[in-house]
């Protein structure tokens, strides 16, 4: 663990009060790990973050918004988290919504209210960055108009206003959480933005205009409720690290949905890959120790766009049913296919993945043979290159290898040794083909249905819950 010189003076002024209890002091920096989706999202990141909070102290979301749906099941009780980080389900954990997230205040408050009803602690342990961008109703209006406009590429978005909000951020005309709390600024911002967006949406999509006064009243009320959660979270996180606390950076979406590295334009509008963890939280890249990629034992995607190993027809339908592959947020059926190793290798390269977590192994329990895409052919030639253009995927022909299935239940299995031989061989094959090590295997949706590989636990310093900093 390296101590980072110089910055302790920046993040250690006495005026700043750390809101959470420090169970241990110390001079060395806390451990950090990024959890990143290695496919097109819905890999099971929520479940894995929840398992890791056994020992990590802080969870920080770094990108996306309430387009995410992270499912955590604890003793049969289901939580679907959209904006609130996975750490919230352990009261001793601190949860942070970072500056890279786009936050719909109404959606956030609704999620917080439902967590309160479920008896989850959300006061004093949940913080939102004062630099996060705000999603406002005109972002949804612009997205709906654009998705349905004739001649436009339909992305199949979640209709949450994510893209237009990131557009305003990059266009330097967005509203940030700190501005939301400034009543005067909020009013002028909403008045100006509504005038502009109403004109554009009417001209382009014939949309009905939004009422700025009504919007101001609704969002100034929400701002008042948001105040207790708002902090300078970059300061909070760096301070926590300096005090020896460990942080999990919770990714949303997945590598192939990343704005730069995904299947553009069929992507989301944020940096969902591991690089986004630094810019999306204000923790420097030099403070990131490990990147953990999450992959299903097969592959899914929701929304439009390329999917080389997609299964169409009855086989795909069967995998969808067995894996319960329906969107956690929109309920849309997910497209299904076989594991795609060229894409996994690409995700490994882009994110710097050293550990893989393989989820939903149990969904393949019935198969006698499991096809895996081991390479791509383009114009009859083998290639490991992932196309830059979405249309480039049309030329890809997947090379498949059939792995032997195990045809026995894996659901209750908690150790690697307890897995059927063919399942262990499937894991070893993934390791050999990707160069990453498998650190965890998920054999069911519940927190307890997880295999933790000893070396992974040891390397991450996660031997036991007592190891929490
Ligand atoms: P995320 O967005 O990456 O957090 O993933 P989602 O929560 O959207 O989707 C993953 C789905 O798979 C959820 O319904 C989980 O409850 C479920 N799940 C996670 N791990 C496993 C597993 O190992 N086996 C099975 N059968 N389901 C799992
Ligand atoms: P989690 O965090 C799966 C997809 C949408 C659409 C595209 C753009 O649960 O893994 P957007 O609303 O972001 O502009 O939609 O991205 N998408 C996801 N797919 N899991 C997600 O999040 C997703 N978030 C966005 O379906 O294709
Ligand atoms: Mg999801």
């Amino acid at each position: 663990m390296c101590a980072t010189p110089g910055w302790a003076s920046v993040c250690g002024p006495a005026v700043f009060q750390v809101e959470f209890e420090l169970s241990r002091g110390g001079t060395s920096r806390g451990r950090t790990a990024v959890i990143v989706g290695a496919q097109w999202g819905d890999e099971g990141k929520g479940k894995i973050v929840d398992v890791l909070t056994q020992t990590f102290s802080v969870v920080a979301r770094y990108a996306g918004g309430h387009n995410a749906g992270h499912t955590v099941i604890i003793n049969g009780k289901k939580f679907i988290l959209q904006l609130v980080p996975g750490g919230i389900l352990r009261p001793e954990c601190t949860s942070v919504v970072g500056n890279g997230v786009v936050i719909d205040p109404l959606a956030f408050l609704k999620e917080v209210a439902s967590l309160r009803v479920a008896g989850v602690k959300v006061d004093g342990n949940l913080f939102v960055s004062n630099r996060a961008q705000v999603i406002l109703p005109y972002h949804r209006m612009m997205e709906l108009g654009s998705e349905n406009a004739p001649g436009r590429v339909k992305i199949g978005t979640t209709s949450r206003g994510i893209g237009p909000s990131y557009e305003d951020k990059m266009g330097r005309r967005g509203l940030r959480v700190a501005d939301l709390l400034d009543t005067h600024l909020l009013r002028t911002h909403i008045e100006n933005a509504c005038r502009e967006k109403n004109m554009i949406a009417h001209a382009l999509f014939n949309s009905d205009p939004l009422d700025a006064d009504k919007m101001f009243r609704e969002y100034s009320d929400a701002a008042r409720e948001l105040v207790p959660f708002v902090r300078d979270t970059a300061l909070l996180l760096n301070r926590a690290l300096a005090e020896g606390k460990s942080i999990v950076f919770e990714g949303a979406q997945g590598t192939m949905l990343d704005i730069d590295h995904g299947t553009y334009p069929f992507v989301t509008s944020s940096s969902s890959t591991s690089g986004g963890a630094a810019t999306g939280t204000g923790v420097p890249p030099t403070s990131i120790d490990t990147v953990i990629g999450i992959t299903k034992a097969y592959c899914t995607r929701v929304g439009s766009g390329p999917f080389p190993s997609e299964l169409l027809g009855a086989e795909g339908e069967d995998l969808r049913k067995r894996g319960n592959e329906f969107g956690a947020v929109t309920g849309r059926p997910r497209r299904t296919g076989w594991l795609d190793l060229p894409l996994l290798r690409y995700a490994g390269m882009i994110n710097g993945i050293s550990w893989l977590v393989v989820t939903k192994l149990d969904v393949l329990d019935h198969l006698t043979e499991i096809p895996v895409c081991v390479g791509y052919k383009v114009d009859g030639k083998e290639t490991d290159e992932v196309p830059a253009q979405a249309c480039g995927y049309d030329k890809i022909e997947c090379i498949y290898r059939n792995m032997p299935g195990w045809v026995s239940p894996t659901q209750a299995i908690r150790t690697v040794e307890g897995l059927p031989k063919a399942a262990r061989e499937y894991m070893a094959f993934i390791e050999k083909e990707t160069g990453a090590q498998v650190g965890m295997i998920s054999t069911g949706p519940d927190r307890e249905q997880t295999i933790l590989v000893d070396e992974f636990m040891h390397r991450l310093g996660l031997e036991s819950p007592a190891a929490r900093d």
Side-chain angles (χ1 to χ4, degrees):
M1 224 67 28
C2 61
T4 312
W7 54 271
S9 57
V10 177
C11 56
V15 286
F16 181 69
Q17 299 291 316
V18 183
E19 284 79 2
F20 44 81
E21 283 176 30
L22 295 171
S23 54
R24 201 179 83 190
T27 50
S28 65
R29 169 169 73 69
R31 290 169 282 118
T32 60
V34 182
I35 292 293
V36 68
Q39 299 170 318
W40 278 283
D42 301 330
E43 298 90 349
K45 299 175 294 292
K47 174 190 160 160
I48 301 308
V49 167
D50 172 65
V51 172
L52 288 178
T53 52
Q54 271 180 59
T55 51
F56 278 85
S57 302
V58 183
V59 180
R61 255 288 290 277
Y62 62 84
H66 63 313
N67 49 351
H70 296 174
T71 315
V72 181
I73 302 181
I74 306 166
N75 297 326
K77 192 166 179 193
K78 186 170 179 172
F79 299 87
I80 297 177
L81 301 167
Q82 292 192 250
L83 277 163
V84 176
I88 205 70
L89 301 172
R90 301 203 198 242
E92 65 278 19
C93 247
T94 299
S95 292
V96 171
V97 178
N99 57 275
V101 172
V102 284
I103 179 165
D104 177 331
L106 306 187
F108 175 80
L109 292 170
K110 197 170 155 209
E111 190 173 339
V112 164
S114 70
L115 286 166
R116 276 205 183 102
V117 168
V120 176
K121 179 178 187 274
V122 287
D123 298 302
N125 56 333
L126 173 62
F127 303 104
V128 173
S129 170
N130 53 5
R131 291 177 172 82
Q133 290 283 324
V134 177
I135 299 182
L136 285 152
Y138 47 76
H139 292 128
R140 280 190 298 279
M141 171 175 76
M142 298 302 282
E143 179 171 342
L144 278 175
S146 147
E147 276 284 274
N148 296 320
R152 292 256 191 146
V153 176
K154 196 172 169 70
I155 310 293
T157 68
T158 59
S159 313
R160 301 295 194 264
I162 305 292
S165 171
Y166 278 113
E167 276 181 53
D168 278 355
K169 171 180 178 170
M170 291 313 188
R172 296 166 294 180
R173 54 177 177 268
L175 183 87
R176 308 209 291 184
V177 167
D179 309 327
L180 178 76
L181 307 188
D182 179 334
T183 311
H184 179 70
L185 204 153
L186 177 65
R187 182 182 277 282
T188 37
H189 186 97
I190 286 183
E191 279 170 1
N192 291 337
C194 273
R195 196 177 312 115
E196 197 175 287
K197 308 286 183 192
N198 280 342
M199 276 167 74
I200 298 171
H202 181 74
L204 291 181
F205 316 122
N206 203 22
S207 312
D208 292 333
L210 295 170
D211 180 341
D213 279 338
K214 183 168 166 276
M215 198 183 298
F216 170 71
R217 283 194 302 275
E218 210 173 0
Y219 283 78
S220 53
D221 285 351
R224 270 192 292 280
E225 277 191 66
L226 204 63
V227 169
F229 299 100
V230 179
R231 293 290 184 282
D232 182 334
T233 53
L235 193 55
L236 187 152
L237 290 168
N238 281 291
R239 187 89 194 276
L241 274 183
E243 308 215 358
K245 291 245 171 195
S246 52
I247 302 180
V248 177
F249 298 98
E250 179 178 348
Q253 290 78 53
T255 304
M256 301 314 291
L257 288 173
D258 181 277
I259 184 73
D260 289 287
H261 303 291
T263 45
Y264 193 91
F266 302 97
V267 291
T268 190
S269 296
S270 63
S271 297
S272 44
T273 45
S274 60
T279 53
T281 61
V283 170
T286 44
S287 294
I288 292 175
D289 297 324
T290 317
V291 180
I292 304 168
I294 318 297
T295 175
K296 283 179 186 168
Y298 50 98
C299 201
T300 64
R301 148 160 230 174
V302 59
S304 329
F307 184 173
S309 64
E310 183 169 13
L311 279 167
L312 300 166
E315 255 186 318
E317 187 59 41
D318 185 54
L319 207 50
R320 178 159 41 250
K321 279 203 188 109
R322 288 180 190 273
N324 191 24
E325 296 296 356
F326 296 90
V329 174
T330 58
R332 288 181 292 175
R334 295 179 185 141
R335 297 156 63 191
T336 53
W338 301 123
L339 187 65
D340 184 333
L341 290 170
L343 276 196
L344 215 45
R345 287 192 278 269
Y346 177 72
M349 174 182 83
I350 296 294
N351 294 293
I353 293 170
S354 46
W355 292 98
L356 278 173
V357 174
V358 180
T359 61
K360 303 195 103 165
L361 188 72
D362 53 298
V363 176
L364 305 184
D365 283 352
H366 63 293
L367 293 169
T368 48
E369 277 191 329
I370 306 167
V372 177
C373 170
V374 293
Y376 290 160
K377 258 187 195 172
V378 172
D379 297 329
K381 280 201 195 111
E382 282 192 37
T383 174
D384 230 10
E385 206 168 307
V386 168
Q389 286 183 290
C391 61
Y393 286 83
D394 298 344
K395 287 185 166 182
I396 287 180
E397 193 192 323
C398 286
I399 306 166
Y400 286 103
R401 172 165 164 182
N402 282 339
M403 296 296 292
W406 41 94
V407 208
S408 62
T410 57
Q411 267 233 341
I413 297 172
R414 303 277 308 268
T415 62
V416 177
E417 300 73 40
L419 283 175
K421 184 164 166 280
R424 275 185 274 129
E425 282 168 1
Y426 193 64
M427 294 300 112
F429 185 66
I430 294 174
E431 289 187 329
K432 182 169 126 320
E433 291 285 317
T434 60
Q437 270 179 278
V438 173
M440 282 165 82
I441 303 160
S442 175
T443 55
D446 201 279
R447 183 190 265 182
E448 302 300 323
Q449 292 167 317
T450 313
I451 298 172
L452 291 152
V453 174
D454 286 345
E455 195 187 338
F456 173 76
M457 296 299 279
H458 178 67
R459 289 274 186 91
L460 265 78
L462 305 176
E463 271 87 357
S464 69
R468 184 193 295 274
D469 293 317

